[in-house]
Amino acid sequence: MEMNINTFEQLHNECISRNKAIYEIAQENMASSADISVDEVRAFTNRSLFAMKEAIQTGMASRELSMSGMCGQDCHRVQRRFETVPAIFGKTFEKIIEYALATSEENIRMGKIVACPTAGSCGILPATLTAVSEDFNYSEREQINALITAGEIGRIISVKVALAGAVAGCQAECGTASAMSAAAICQLRGGNVSQILNASALALKNLLGLTCDPVAGLVEVPCVKRNPFLAIHSITAVELALSGVESKIPIDEVIDAMEQTGALMSPTLKESSQAGLATTKTALEVQKRVFG
Amino acid sequence: MKKSTLFDIISPVMVGPSSSHTAGAVRLGLLARNIYKNKPEKVIFKLYNSYAHTGKGHGTEKGLLAGVLGLRVDDRRIKDIFNSDIAKEIEYEFEYCDNFKYHPNAVDMTFIGKNNMFISGESVGAGEIAVRKINDFTVKLTGKYNTVLIVYKDMPGMISQVSSVLQYHNINIASLFCDRNAKGKEASMVISVDGNISPDIVDIIEEIPEVYFVSYIEKLEH
């Protein structure tokens, strides 16, 4: 039987009363609503997981520039440095930055990626999920559990807030991706339902008000570099949540705040490139060069 | 707003850079292809507003053409579609226009060939799309369900006749949308269903008196 879960409170209660993990509830409901088996839900998820890893590999090896010429070689720069100088926080930190850049750069050169939840935010979750799984030996089964957990977080956010920069700013795209990433890693690291929801809330709370002001209307500046930043951001939320740090504002109320903030945000800052970074002197020069 | 599913959030696997401007464009082309059915000789794409202004940087034109040619959103050939052999099979043209009565990401597609057809659609975000007009009829097609489009004489009892055919074959209607040009003239019915409709059921609907035209439009793959 499909449960109609529209809030995190409902999800939490459902998990507690049936003694199930978020991914178990989510995969059952998805199976029921699409009239398929749980195994088919997991197979679908595995295809997304596979495509995420493929995008990372392809992106790590490419130096091709985007059409505008603004982006495409930062992943290479970072890799080259880490070959000789280790990052302050160690190998997993390096990988997360590299993988997020690799995926986002692959996106802007019209490569194949997974919109998760959107194309502009496609580097965040795959970077943390892959890097942490590689370095801490999480199985494919555990990674699928984590990705389904993340998907359920994104789905419930999207009940209230459209996951589109044009509607609610970047908080709804990269913000949601970061909350999803926090949930996925919290699930991998053995977090319970409350800890997972807290991790998502903590990640999201610190991104409220994030605008969408892309230079020349392209998914490049600041989008590409925002992906590694928010991937790392989500790990901070995980470490806090797993230590028992709670979001004083419950996640459902954080989503309410996000919806309100999105509605109050000026349309000029919501994917219309009419303000913010998009109308700086340099941005206007880029726009003229690219589109004439 | 239609509620997203778990699958919507962790997919699609697509060619970048934008779910609305690239994947959405491919899906609009694909759905238009499913509606038109035949291979067109020529397609004229008229891009509006944001599609017109930033389409070039997002591969929107490439996506639309690739969709009409039957490529899926994750096909790596989209990037170089203008230089590919399959693009040489049809003629195509792009026009650009500002019209704020239209959705920011709207496109009109005029198919020219054995018959001509006008299809207007929009990319509503996260790769989701809606076709709003086929020729003179207002419709609502999202590509998420198998759909049957029926053009018929506007008169009492038509909806019930069609729905009883579907009921008899145990087909559940997910949504129903009707429109007409004028009272007593041509009307259109767009019925989205769970599951699919076999060709013989489409034939039965076509045989209902005063039904002029029936087209079965297959849903897009996820």
Side-chain angles (χ1 to χ4, degrees):
Chain A
M1 240 292 276
E2 186 191 355
M3 278 286 306
N4 201 10
I5 295 175
N6 291 320
T7 66
F8 287 104
E9 190 184 356
Q10 285 172 346
L11 177 66
H12 181 265
N13 292 343
E14 192 67 14
C15 289
I16 299 302
S17 68
R18 294 173 59 196
N19 195 23
K20 281 181 188 280
I22 291 173
Y23 73 85
E24 291 177 296
I25 303 283
Q27 67 191 15
E28 276 175 25
N29 282 344
M30 184 65 228
S32 159
S33 73
D35 215 4
I36 54 178
S37 68
V38 165
D39 283 347
E40 285 170 298
V41 173
R42 295 181 67 84
F44 181 99
T45 308
N46 199 22
R47 282 196 291 278
S48 282
L49 190 63
F50 181 82
M52 287 175 178
K53 292 172 196 280
E54 202 181 44
I56 289 172
Q57 277 174 7
T58 317
M60 290 284 281
S62 177
R63 292 171 66 179
E64 187 187 327
L65 288 168
S66 65
M67 198 207 69
S68 75
M70 282 192 290
C71 300
Q73 299 189 335
D74 291 337
C75 182
H76 174 74
R77 285 191 181 93
V78 171
Q79 285 183 75
R80 209 173 43 190
R81 173 164 173 273
F82 288 159
E83 276 166 18
T84 51
V85 187
I88 295 169
F89 294 148
K91 193 65 200 160
T92 311
F93 181 81
E94 290 175 8
K95 279 187 178 178
I96 291 172
I97 293 178
E98 287 170 354
Y99 292 175
L101 279 174
T103 307
S104 285
E105 289 186 345
E106 198 51 21
N107 180 50
I108 50 94
R109 56 172 81 100
M110 289 194 83
K112 195 164 148 181
I113 53 87
V114 183
C116 190
T118 61
S121 60
C122 69
I124 297 171
L125 170 62
T128 57
L129 184 54
T130 305
V132 172
S133 296
E134 282 175 358
D135 289 359
F136 294 85
N137 295 315
Y138 291 112
S139 67
E140 188 178 277
R141 187 179 57 80
E142 288 169 303
Q143 292 176 55
I144 292 171
N145 295 348
L147 183 49
I148 292 174
T149 305
E152 183 69 353
I153 300 300
R155 185 190 70 77
I156 296 178
I157 294 173
S158 80
V159 172
K160 275 189 191 149
V161 184
L163 306 186
V167 179
C170 194
Q171 57 171 3
E173 295 204 27
C174 286
T176 300
S178 197
M180 288 168 61
S181 165
I185 305 309
C186 204
Q187 165 67 34
L188 279 185
R189 302 292 286 154
N192 62 30
V193 177
S194 297
Q195 287 169 329
I196 291 170
L197 297 186
N198 267 306
S200 293
L202 290 167
L204 207 51
K205 258 196 326 188
N206 285 285
L207 298 169
L208 293 184
L210 196 62
T211 64
C212 178
D213 53 357
V215 170
L218 300 170
V219 194
E220 298 188 19
V221 177
C223 323
V224 169
K225 291 189 278 283
R226 184 164 290 170
N227 276 259
F229 275 106
L230 296 198
I232 297 298
H233 176 91
S234 73
I235 301 296
T236 309
V238 172
E239 300 299 359
L240 290 173
L242 288 175
S243 312
V245 176
E246 291 182 350
S247 170
K248 292 298 171 204
I249 311 295
I251 183 162
D252 283 316
E253 294 176 42
V254 175
I255 312 296
D256 289 339
M258 179 173 164
E259 182 191 17
Q260 184 195 41
T261 305
L264 291 172
M265 198 182 285
S266 164
T268 58
L269 291 166
K270 291 190 279 193
E271 212 176 343
S272 60
S273 298
Q274 292 170 332
L277 290 173
T279 51
T280 55
K281 179 168 155 283
T282 304
L284 294 174
E285 282 165 11
V286 170
Q287 185 161 359
K288 202 167 170 208
R289 178 170 59 75
V290 177
F291 293 113
Chain B
M1 189 177 69
K2 174 134 188 3
K3 278 205 298 194
S4 298
T5 67
L6 172 72
F7 283 176
D8 293 330
I9 305 295
I10 59 170
S11 72
V13 179
M14 57 169 273
V15 159
S18 161
S19 44
S20 58
H21 284 59
T22 322
V26 177
R27 298 184 86 237
L28 279 165
L30 275 170
L31 188 55
R33 172 191 168 93
N34 285 1
I35 294 167
Y36 185 71
K37 285 190 166 58
N38 307 309
K39 189 172 168 184
E41 284 159 25
K42 181 176 180 177
V43 182
I44 301 166
F45 300 93
K46 191 172 185 181
L47 282 67
Y48 289 90
N49 307 330
S50 174
Y51 256 25
H53 291 291
T54 67
K56 197 175 126 202
H58 288 120
T60 303
E61 291 101 325
K62 291 175 184 175
L64 288 166
L65 178 64
V68 164
L69 293 168
L71 302 196
R72 294 162 41 127
V73 293
D74 65 346
D75 197 312
R76 291 190 194 274
R77 287 176 293 175
I78 294 169
K79 186 176 177 177
D80 289 315
I81 189 73
F82 293 139
N83 299 318
S84 73
D85 284 341
I86 48 168
K88 296 187 176 83
E89 293 170 11
I90 65 167
E91 282 182 64
Y92 51 88
E93 223 173 85
F94 294 98
E95 295 172 3
Y96 306 90
C97 176
D98 270 323
N99 184 336
F100 292 99
K101 286 180 186 160
Y102 277 72
H103 188 274
N105 301 328
V107 60
D108 290 341
M109 291 171 270
T110 306
F111 282 69
I112 299 163
K114 218 184 289 173
N115 58 321
N116 294 352
M117 194 180 272
F118 173 85
I119 299 169
S120 179
E122 54 204 41
S123 176
V124 297
E128 302 294 316
I129 55 158
V131 163
R132 300 291 190 188
K133 231 170 169 72
I134 300 175
N135 290 335
D136 287 338
F137 292 107
T138 300
V139 297
K140 191 175 175 242
L141 286 168
T142 61
K144 287 191 163 186
Y145 294 91
N146 288 316
T147 300
V148 60
L149 166 70
I150 304 157
V151 178
Y152 59 99
K153 184 179 164 66
D154 179 43
M155 54 186 258
M158 294 304 283
I159 294 172
S160 112
Q161 286 191 62
V162 173
S163 65
S164 60
V165 171
L166 297 177
Q167 185 191 0
Y168 181 78
H169 292 90
N170 202 25
I171 294 165
N172 188 42
I173 295 176
S175 75
L176 167 67
F177 188 91
C178 294
D179 187 35
R180 67 180 183 193
N181 287 337
K183 193 176 171 186
K185 299 274 172 60
E186 266 189 354
S188 70
M189 202 186 305
V190 180
I191 303 178
S192 299
V193 301
D194 292 327
N196 51 21
I197 303 181
S198 63
D200 51 309
I201 301 172
V202 174
D203 289 345
I204 295 170
I205 296 171
E206 202 150 31
E207 281 160 21
I208 297 172
E210 307 297 348
V211 164
Y212 302 139
F213 165 81
V214 180
S215 175
Y216 183 54
I217 301 156
E218 283 184 46
K219 69 177 174 184
L220 301 178
E221 284 178 53
H222 211 300

mmCIF file of all heavy atoms in Angstrom, chain B residues 14-52:
data_model
loop_
_atom_site.group_PDB
_atom_site.id
_atom_site.type_symbol
_atom_site.label_atom_id
_atom_site.label_comp_id
_atom_site.label_asym_id
_atom_site.label_seq_id
_atom_site.Cartn_x
_atom_site.Cartn_y
_atom_site.Cartn_z
ATOM 1 N N MET B 14 21.281 12.398 -18.197
ATOM 2 C CA MET B 14 21.073 13.305 -19.339
ATOM 3 C C MET B 14 22.372 13.963 -19.783
ATOM 4 O O MET B 14 23.347 14.012 -19.049
ATOM 5 C CB MET B 14 20.070 14.397 -18.943
ATOM 6 C CG MET B 14 20.513 15.193 -17.717
ATOM 7 S SD MET B 14 19.538 16.680 -17.407
ATOM 8 C CE MET B 14 20.415 17.859 -18.436
ATOM 9 N N VAL B 15 22.321 14.475 -20.982
ATOM 10 C CA VAL B 15 23.412 15.293 -21.478
ATOM 11 C C VAL B 15 23.163 16.720 -20.995
ATOM 12 O O VAL B 15 22.040 17.207 -21.079
ATOM 13 C CB VAL B 15 23.449 15.188 -23.021
ATOM 14 C CG1 VAL B 15 24.186 16.348 -23.625
ATOM 15 C CG2 VAL B 15 24.070 13.872 -23.441
ATOM 16 N N GLY B 16 24.193 17.366 -20.431
ATOM 17 C CA GLY B 16 24.045 18.691 -19.850
ATOM 18 C C GLY B 16 23.899 19.765 -20.908
ATOM 19 O O GLY B 16 23.835 19.453 -22.087
ATOM 20 N N PRO B 17 23.822 21.023 -20.465
ATOM 21 C CA PRO B 17 24.053 21.490 -19.105
ATOM 22 C C PRO B 17 22.790 21.830 -18.307
ATOM 23 O O PRO B 17 22.904 22.164 -17.146
ATOM 24 C CB PRO B 17 24.836 22.792 -19.343
ATOM 25 C CG PRO B 17 24.253 23.338 -20.607
ATOM 26 C CD PRO B 17 23.902 22.132 -21.444
ATOM 27 N N SER B 18 21.619 21.743 -18.882
ATOM 28 C CA SER B 18 20.457 22.252 -18.153
ATOM 29 C C SER B 18 19.276 21.309 -18.297
ATOM 30 O O SER B 18 18.957 20.872 -19.404
ATOM 31 C CB SER B 18 20.085 23.632 -18.720
ATOM 32 O OG SER B 18 18.763 23.973 -18.379
ATOM 33 N N SER B 19 18.636 21.012 -17.171
ATOM 34 C CA SER B 19 17.483 20.107 -17.250
ATOM 35 C C SER B 19 16.343 20.753 -18.032
ATOM 36 O O SER B 19 15.687 20.112 -18.837
ATOM 37 C CB SER B 19 17.029 19.671 -15.857
ATOM 38 O OG SER B 19 16.997 20.756 -14.975
ATOM 39 N N SER B 20 16.127 22.055 -17.830
ATOM 40 C CA SER B 20 15.027 22.705 -18.549
ATOM 41 C C SER B 20 15.406 23.054 -19.986
ATOM 42 O O SER B 20 14.598 22.894 -20.897
ATOM 43 C CB SER B 20 14.608 23.979 -17.812
ATOM 44 O OG SER B 20 15.702 24.851 -17.696
ATOM 45 N N HIS B 21 16.639 23.526 -20.195
ATOM 46 C CA HIS B 21 17.023 24.028 -21.521
ATOM 47 C C HIS B 21 17.626 22.963 -22.430
ATOM 48 O O HIS B 21 17.698 23.155 -23.638
ATOM 49 C CB HIS B 21 18.004 25.194 -21.385
ATOM 50 C CG HIS B 21 17.347 26.474 -20.976
ATOM 51 N ND1 HIS B 21 16.642 26.598 -19.804
ATOM 52 C CD2 HIS B 21 17.256 27.678 -21.585
ATOM 53 C CE1 HIS B 21 16.165 27.831 -19.706
ATOM 54 N NE2 HIS B 21 16.515 28.504 -20.778
ATOM 55 N N THR B 22 18.125 21.851 -21.858
ATOM 56 C CA THR B 22 18.703 20.810 -22.699
ATOM 57 C C THR B 22 17.809 19.566 -22.673
ATOM 58 O O THR B 22 17.195 19.219 -23.686
ATOM 59 C CB THR B 22 20.140 20.452 -22.246
ATOM 60 O OG1 THR B 22 20.810 21.631 -21.832
ATOM 61 C CG2 THR B 22 20.914 19.803 -23.381
ATOM 62 N N ALA B 23 17.686 18.909 -21.506
ATOM 63 C CA ALA B 23 16.866 17.695 -21.424
ATOM 64 C C ALA B 23 15.401 17.996 -21.765
ATOM 65 O O ALA B 23 14.750 17.243 -22.493
ATOM 66 C CB ALA B 23 16.971 17.077 -20.028
ATOM 67 N N GLY B 24 14.894 19.115 -21.254
ATOM 68 C CA GLY B 24 13.507 19.504 -21.544
ATOM 69 C C GLY B 24 13.301 19.689 -23.041
ATOM 70 O O GLY B 24 12.278 19.291 -23.597
ATOM 71 N N ALA B 25 14.296 20.289 -23.702
ATOM 72 C CA ALA B 25 14.197 20.513 -25.147
ATOM 73 C C ALA B 25 14.172 19.182 -25.898
ATOM 74 O O ALA B 25 13.375 18.985 -26.822
ATOM 75 C CB ALA B 25 15.370 21.380 -25.614
ATOM 76 N N VAL B 26 15.033 18.256 -25.487
ATOM 77 C CA VAL B 26 15.055 16.936 -26.134
ATOM 78 C C VAL B 26 13.687 16.256 -25.970
ATOM 79 O O VAL B 26 13.125 15.710 -26.922
ATOM 80 C CB VAL B 26 16.150 16.023 -25.525
ATOM 81 C CG1 VAL B 26 16.113 14.640 -26.161
ATOM 82 C CG2 VAL B 26 17.534 16.636 -25.699
ATOM 83 N N ARG B 27 13.140 16.342 -24.762
ATOM 84 C CA ARG B 27 11.867 15.665 -24.493
ATOM 85 C C ARG B 27 10.712 16.324 -25.262
ATOM 86 O O ARG B 27 9.807 15.630 -25.721
ATOM 87 C CB ARG B 27 11.588 15.646 -22.981
ATOM 88 C CG ARG B 27 12.665 14.856 -22.227
ATOM 89 C CD ARG B 27 12.387 14.734 -20.741
ATOM 90 N NE ARG B 27 11.526 13.603 -20.460
ATOM 91 C CZ ARG B 27 10.369 13.674 -19.828
ATOM 92 N NH1 ARG B 27 9.929 14.828 -19.387
ATOM 93 N NH2 ARG B 27 9.656 12.598 -19.623
ATOM 94 N N LEU B 28 10.763 17.635 -25.423
ATOM 95 C CA LEU B 28 9.739 18.308 -26.238
ATOM 96 C C LEU B 28 9.813 17.811 -27.680
ATOM 97 O O LEU B 28 8.795 17.527 -28.309
ATOM 98 C CB LEU B 28 9.926 19.831 -26.184
ATOM 99 C CG LEU B 28 9.357 20.525 -24.946
ATOM 100 C CD1 LEU B 28 9.908 21.942 -24.811
ATOM 101 C CD2 LEU B 28 7.825 20.558 -25.001
ATOM 102 N N GLY B 29 11.039 17.694 -28.191
ATOM 103 C CA GLY B 29 11.217 17.177 -29.551
ATOM 104 C C GLY B 29 10.721 15.748 -29.671
ATOM 105 O O GLY B 29 10.042 15.377 -30.632
ATOM 106 N N LEU B 30 11.042 14.936 -28.666
ATOM 107 C CA LEU B 30 10.628 13.525 -28.677
ATOM 108 C C LEU B 30 9.108 13.381 -28.628
ATOM 109 O O LEU B 30 8.524 12.576 -29.356
ATOM 110 C CB LEU B 30 11.226 12.794 -27.467
ATOM 111 C CG LEU B 30 12.639 12.251 -27.599
ATOM 112 C CD1 LEU B 30 13.144 11.787 -26.238
ATOM 113 C CD2 LEU B 30 12.700 11.094 -28.596
ATOM 114 N N LEU B 31 8.480 14.174 -27.760
ATOM 115 C CA LEU B 31 7.025 14.053 -27.631
ATOM 116 C C LEU B 31 6.347 14.540 -28.928
ATOM 117 O O LEU B 31 5.394 13.925 -29.412
ATOM 118 C CB LEU B 31 6.522 14.849 -26.415
ATOM 119 C CG LEU B 31 5.047 14.652 -26.051
ATOM 120 C CD1 LEU B 31 4.716 13.180 -25.843
ATOM 121 C CD2 LEU B 31 4.689 15.434 -24.784
ATOM 122 N N ALA B 32 6.885 15.623 -29.508
ATOM 123 C CA ALA B 32 6.341 16.116 -30.777
ATOM 124 C C ALA B 32 6.482 15.042 -31.859
ATOM 125 O O ALA B 32 5.596 14.843 -32.681
ATOM 126 C CB ALA B 32 7.063 17.398 -31.188
ATOM 127 N N ARG B 33 7.611 14.342 -31.826
ATOM 128 C CA ARG B 33 7.840 13.245 -32.780
ATOM 129 C C ARG B 33 6.780 12.150 -32.591
ATOM 130 O O ARG B 33 6.219 11.634 -33.560
ATOM 131 C CB ARG B 33 9.248 12.686 -32.531
ATOM 132 C CG ARG B 33 9.601 11.426 -33.282
ATOM 133 C CD ARG B 33 10.915 10.873 -32.693
ATOM 134 N NE ARG B 33 11.182 9.519 -33.166
ATOM 135 C CZ ARG B 33 11.917 9.255 -34.226
ATOM 136 N NH1 ARG B 33 12.444 10.232 -34.923
ATOM 137 N NH2 ARG B 33 12.124 8.005 -34.591
ATOM 138 N N ASN B 34 6.488 11.816 -31.313
ATOM 139 C CA ASN B 34 5.452 10.807 -31.034
ATOM 140 C C ASN B 34 4.072 11.279 -31.484
ATOM 141 O O ASN B 34 3.239 10.467 -31.869
ATOM 142 C CB ASN B 34 5.401 10.490 -29.538
ATOM 143 C CG ASN B 34 6.560 9.634 -29.090
ATOM 144 O OD1 ASN B 34 7.418 9.286 -29.890
ATOM 145 N ND2 ASN B 34 6.614 9.307 -27.808
ATOM 146 N N ILE B 35 3.826 12.572 -31.417
ATOM 147 C CA ILE B 35 2.524 13.110 -31.816
ATOM 148 C C ILE B 35 2.406 13.116 -33.339
ATOM 149 O O ILE B 35 1.397 12.704 -33.901
ATOM 150 C CB ILE B 35 2.341 14.553 -31.259
ATOM 151 C CG1 ILE B 35 2.272 14.522 -29.735
ATOM 152 C CG2 ILE B 35 1.072 15.197 -31.833
ATOM 153 C CD1 ILE B 35 2.405 15.879 -29.079
ATOM 154 N N TYR B 36 3.469 13.566 -34.013
ATOM 155 C CA TYR B 36 3.423 13.689 -35.474
ATOM 156 C C TYR B 36 3.486 12.312 -36.139
ATOM 157 O O TYR B 36 2.882 12.085 -37.197
ATOM 158 C CB TYR B 36 4.574 14.583 -35.954
ATOM 159 C CG TYR B 36 4.538 14.874 -37.432
ATOM 160 C CD1 TYR B 36 3.564 15.714 -37.964
ATOM 161 C CD2 TYR B 36 5.468 14.306 -38.303
ATOM 162 C CE1 TYR B 36 3.515 15.973 -39.321
ATOM 163 C CE2 TYR B 36 5.433 14.575 -39.657
ATOM 164 C CZ TYR B 36 4.453 15.405 -40.166
ATOM 165 O OH TYR B 36 4.405 15.664 -41.504
ATOM 166 N N LYS B 37 4.258 11.403 -35.522
ATOM 167 C CA LYS B 37 4.369 10.005 -35.957
ATOM 168 C C LYS B 37 5.167 9.788 -37.242
ATOM 169 O O LYS B 37 6.051 8.963 -37.282
ATOM 170 C CB LYS B 37 2.994 9.336 -36.101
ATOM 171 C CG LYS B 37 2.371 9.007 -34.760
ATOM 172 C CD LYS B 37 1.160 8.134 -34.936
ATOM 173 C CE LYS B 37 0.731 7.516 -33.647
ATOM 174 N NZ LYS B 37 0.427 8.474 -32.606
ATOM 175 N N ASN B 38 4.837 10.485 -38.319
ATOM 176 C CA ASN B 38 5.582 10.280 -39.564
ATOM 177 C C ASN B 38 6.925 10.995 -39.496
ATOM 178 O O ASN B 38 7.167 11.802 -38.610
ATOM 179 C CB ASN B 38 4.794 10.847 -40.747
ATOM 180 C CG ASN B 38 3.398 10.305 -40.779
ATOM 181 O OD1 ASN B 38 3.194 9.106 -40.717
ATOM 182 N ND2 ASN B 38 2.417 11.199 -40.832
ATOM 183 N N LYS B 39 7.746 10.693 -40.462
ATOM 184 C CA LYS B 39 9.009 11.413 -40.539
ATOM 185 C C LYS B 39 8.764 12.723 -41.286
ATOM 186 O O LYS B 39 8.297 12.713 -42.416
ATOM 187 C CB LYS B 39 10.024 10.557 -41.276
ATOM 188 C CG LYS B 39 11.400 11.109 -41.211
ATOM 189 C CD LYS B 39 12.358 10.100 -41.783
ATOM 190 C CE LYS B 39 13.709 10.746 -41.987
ATOM 191 N NZ LYS B 39 14.617 9.811 -42.634
ATOM 192 N N PRO B 40 9.062 13.858 -40.672
ATOM 193 C CA PRO B 40 8.802 15.130 -41.356
ATOM 194 C C PRO B 40 9.855 15.405 -42.427
ATOM 195 O O PRO B 40 10.970 14.884 -42.354
ATOM 196 C CB PRO B 40 8.917 16.149 -40.233
ATOM 197 C CG PRO B 40 9.871 15.538 -39.270
ATOM 198 C CD PRO B 40 9.670 14.048 -39.347
ATOM 199 N N GLU B 41 9.466 16.215 -43.414
ATOM 200 C CA GLU B 41 10.469 16.673 -44.379
ATOM 201 C C GLU B 41 11.220 17.865 -43.793
ATOM 202 O O GLU B 41 12.410 18.044 -44.011
ATOM 203 C CB GLU B 41 9.772 17.094 -45.690
ATOM 204 C CG GLU B 41 9.334 15.902 -46.521
ATOM 205 C CD GLU B 41 8.232 16.256 -47.518
ATOM 206 O OE1 GLU B 41 8.139 17.441 -47.903
ATOM 207 O OE2 GLU B 41 7.474 15.345 -47.892
ATOM 208 N N LYS B 42 10.447 18.659 -43.057
ATOM 209 C CA LYS B 42 11.067 19.855 -42.492
ATOM 210 C C LYS B 42 10.388 20.217 -41.165
ATOM 211 O O LYS B 42 9.186 19.991 -41.011
ATOM 212 C CB LYS B 42 10.904 21.020 -43.483
ATOM 213 C CG LYS B 42 11.522 22.314 -43.019
ATOM 214 C CD LYS B 42 11.425 23.394 -44.079
ATOM 215 C CE LYS B 42 12.062 24.674 -43.560
ATOM 216 N NZ LYS B 42 12.068 25.747 -44.535
ATOM 217 N N VAL B 43 11.159 20.752 -40.237
ATOM 218 C CA VAL B 43 10.582 21.244 -38.979
ATOM 219 C C VAL B 43 11.081 22.668 -38.742
ATOM 220 O O VAL B 43 12.273 22.946 -38.864
ATOM 221 C CB VAL B 43 10.974 20.358 -37.776
ATOM 222 C CG1 VAL B 43 10.325 20.882 -36.500
ATOM 223 C CG2 VAL B 43 10.587 18.912 -38.008
ATOM 224 N N ILE B 44 10.132 23.569 -38.450
ATOM 225 C CA ILE B 44 10.515 24.935 -38.095
ATOM 226 C C ILE B 44 10.312 25.097 -36.586
ATOM 227 O O ILE B 44 9.217 24.888 -36.068
ATOM 228 C CB ILE B 44 9.671 25.971 -38.855
ATOM 229 C CG1 ILE B 44 9.839 25.774 -40.368
ATOM 230 C CG2 ILE B 44 10.069 27.396 -38.449
ATOM 231 C CD1 ILE B 44 8.807 26.517 -41.193
ATOM 232 N N PHE B 45 11.381 25.437 -35.901
ATOM 233 C CA PHE B 45 11.313 25.640 -34.451
ATOM 234 C C PHE B 45 11.294 27.142 -34.177
ATOM 235 O O PHE B 45 12.179 27.867 -34.646
ATOM 236 C CB PHE B 45 12.544 25.067 -33.762
ATOM 237 C CG PHE B 45 12.756 23.587 -33.972
ATOM 238 C CD1 PHE B 45 13.563 23.125 -35.002
ATOM 239 C CD2 PHE B 45 12.164 22.662 -33.126
ATOM 240 C CE1 PHE B 45 13.788 21.764 -35.186
ATOM 241 C CE2 PHE B 45 12.382 21.295 -33.297
ATOM 242 C CZ PHE B 45 13.189 20.845 -34.334
ATOM 243 N N LYS B 46 10.305 27.582 -33.435
ATOM 244 C CA LYS B 46 10.272 28.993 -33.041
ATOM 245 C C LYS B 46 10.472 29.071 -31.531
ATOM 246 O O LYS B 46 9.612 28.642 -30.759
ATOM 247 C CB LYS B 46 8.936 29.604 -33.444
ATOM 248 C CG LYS B 46 8.885 31.109 -33.321
ATOM 249 C CD LYS B 46 7.596 31.619 -33.938
ATOM 250 C CE LYS B 46 7.538 33.126 -33.948
ATOM 251 N NZ LYS B 46 6.283 33.591 -34.536
ATOM 252 N N LEU B 47 11.615 29.573 -31.115
ATOM 253 C CA LEU B 47 11.961 29.620 -29.692
ATOM 254 C C LEU B 47 11.552 30.959 -29.086
ATOM 255 O O LEU B 47 11.800 32.007 -29.688
ATOM 256 C CB LEU B 47 13.466 29.416 -29.500
ATOM 257 C CG LEU B 47 14.023 27.999 -29.605
ATOM 258 C CD1 LEU B 47 13.899 27.440 -31.013
ATOM 259 C CD2 LEU B 47 15.471 27.974 -29.174
ATOM 260 N N TYR B 48 10.982 30.898 -27.892
ATOM 261 C CA TYR B 48 10.526 32.109 -27.229
ATOM 262 C C TYR B 48 11.372 32.455 -26.003
ATOM 263 O O TYR B 48 11.908 31.566 -25.337
ATOM 264 C CB TYR B 48 9.077 31.941 -26.759
ATOM 265 C CG TYR B 48 8.087 31.922 -27.901
ATOM 266 C CD1 TYR B 48 7.740 30.724 -28.510
ATOM 267 C CD2 TYR B 48 7.523 33.096 -28.380
ATOM 268 C CE1 TYR B 48 6.846 30.689 -29.564
ATOM 269 C CE2 TYR B 48 6.633 33.083 -29.435
ATOM 270 C CZ TYR B 48 6.293 31.874 -30.023
ATOM 271 O OH TYR B 48 5.424 31.853 -31.072
ATOM 272 N N ASN B 49 11.439 33.737 -25.704
ATOM 273 C CA ASN B 49 11.921 34.262 -24.425
ATOM 274 C C ASN B 49 13.270 33.670 -23.993
ATOM 275 O O ASN B 49 14.236 33.778 -24.718
ATOM 276 C CB ASN B 49 10.833 34.094 -23.366
ATOM 277 C CG ASN B 49 9.500 34.702 -23.849
ATOM 278 O OD1 ASN B 49 9.504 35.647 -24.619
ATOM 279 N ND2 ASN B 49 8.392 34.151 -23.415
ATOM 280 N N SER B 50 13.300 33.011 -22.824
ATOM 281 C CA SER B 50 14.571 32.496 -22.319
ATOM 282 C C SER B 50 15.154 31.448 -23.268
ATOM 283 O O SER B 50 16.375 31.379 -23.466
ATOM 284 C CB SER B 50 14.370 31.889 -20.927
ATOM 285 O OG SER B 50 15.553 31.273 -20.490
ATOM 286 N N TYR B 51 14.294 30.642 -23.868
ATOM 287 C CA TYR B 51 14.776 29.655 -24.852
ATOM 288 C C TYR B 51 15.466 30.366 -26.008
ATOM 289 O O TYR B 51 16.487 29.912 -26.515
ATOM 290 C CB TYR B 51 13.599 28.817 -25.380
ATOM 291 C CG TYR B 51 13.524 27.411 -24.812
ATOM 292 C CD1 TYR B 51 14.088 27.114 -23.578
ATOM 293 C CD2 TYR B 51 12.894 26.379 -25.507
ATOM 294 C CE1 TYR B 51 14.017 25.830 -23.055
ATOM 295 C CE2 TYR B 51 12.823 25.093 -24.995
ATOM 296 C CZ TYR B 51 13.386 24.825 -23.766
ATOM 297 O OH TYR B 51 13.323 23.553 -23.264
ATOM 298 N N ALA B 52 14.900 31.510 -26.430
ATOM 299 C CA ALA B 52 15.471 32.252 -27.551
ATOM 300 C C ALA B 52 16.783 32.924 -27.145
ATOM 301 O O ALA B 52 17.752 32.913 -27.891
ATOM 302 C CB ALA B 52 14.477 33.296 -28.042
#
